Amino acid sequence: MDAAAVLRTQAALTSKVVGGVRAEQLGLPTPCQAWDVRSLINHLCMTTRFCARVAAGEQAEPEYETDFLGGDPAGAYARERDAMLQACSDPGLAERSVSLPVLGDLPGNVVPVLALSETVVHRWDLATALGVDTAIDPEVATFLLDQGRAMVGDTMRAPSADQTTGSVPFGPPIEVGDDASSADELLTFLGRTP
């Protein structure tokens, strides 16, 4: 799967969900226990900017304390999304090495995969909080699950979902039945309860 190409389509879907958030919904709780809807969109903007900067060759650190949204969550996400899409579609990215906190130096084609994961999974978080369509394309879910299994190690998991941090972003995986959908497998692998 070409993660950079799929990222464009998935980011457009995420933009629709972010664009549908009303001011009175910004305080709603989300599946990410520490974040309300506003905090989740802010985190999405932060990771989107981080991916854009890393893809552009910067030695970037996530900007956890920055308020990206101001009074315009949809506009903020659109700006960060456009920069991310441009940087992740650079044809030379796959031939460069990038440096990621926790993971170290990796091939550049990891960045569109990371961006895709953030875009898809946090769209599910946001859609769940808002009570709108949470569907994840099964092929995208399978791809992200395979990539996640290769990249998410024990050092990136907190003992429980309520103890996650920036450098330890995932809770423990949750067991699912053999008949679970690929989306449910992805979400539970990342510590969420579908």
Side-chain angles (χ1 to χ4, degrees), residues 11-179:
L13 294 172
T14 300
S15 291
K16 287 181 183 177
V17 178
V18 173
V21 175
R22 299 184 311 273
E24 64 270 18
Q25 294 175 309
L26 291 172
L28 292 175
T30 72
C32 304
Q33 293 182 5
W35 297 332
D36 59 14
V37 165
R38 187 184 197 288
S39 300
L40 176 59
I41 298 170
N42 196 67
H43 174 81
L44 185 57
C45 287
M46 184 273 296
T47 56
T48 301
R49 176 179 288 183
F50 172 74
C51 288
R53 292 179 64 201
V54 171
E58 294 183 39
Q59 294 284 339
E61 291 288 331
E63 300 170 59
Y64 294 114
E65 303 304 318
T66 300
D67 179 3
F68 292 92
L69 304 190
D72 184 14
Y77 178 68
R79 284 188 300 277
E80 301 304 336
R81 175 206 63 215
D82 290 348
M84 173 191 67
L85 291 173
Q86 181 177 358
C88 286
S89 64
D90 178 349
L93 179 58
E95 289 144 30
R96 292 195 310 264
S97 177
V98 297
S99 180
L100 294 171
V102 180
L103 296 174
D105 292 339
L106 295 167
N109 59 1
V110 166
V111 181
V113 174
L114 175 61
L116 181 60
S117 180
E118 290 287 319
T119 298
V120 169
V121 175
H122 287 315
R123 180 179 68 240
W124 181 88
D125 292 331
L126 183 58
T128 299
L130 299 173
V132 299
D133 183 13
T134 59
I136 297 175
D137 179 292
E139 289 182 29
V140 173
T142 298
F143 173 76
L144 290 176
L145 180 60
D146 291 344
Q147 297 297 312
R149 285 179 172 148
M151 291 176 30
V152 176
D154 290 341
T155 61
M156 298 176 72
R157 292 192 185 275
S160 65
D162 63 348
Q163 295 176 320
T164 59
T165 65
S167 60
V168 186
F170 305 107
I174 296 169
E175 294 295 322
V176 291
D178 293 338
D179 60 344

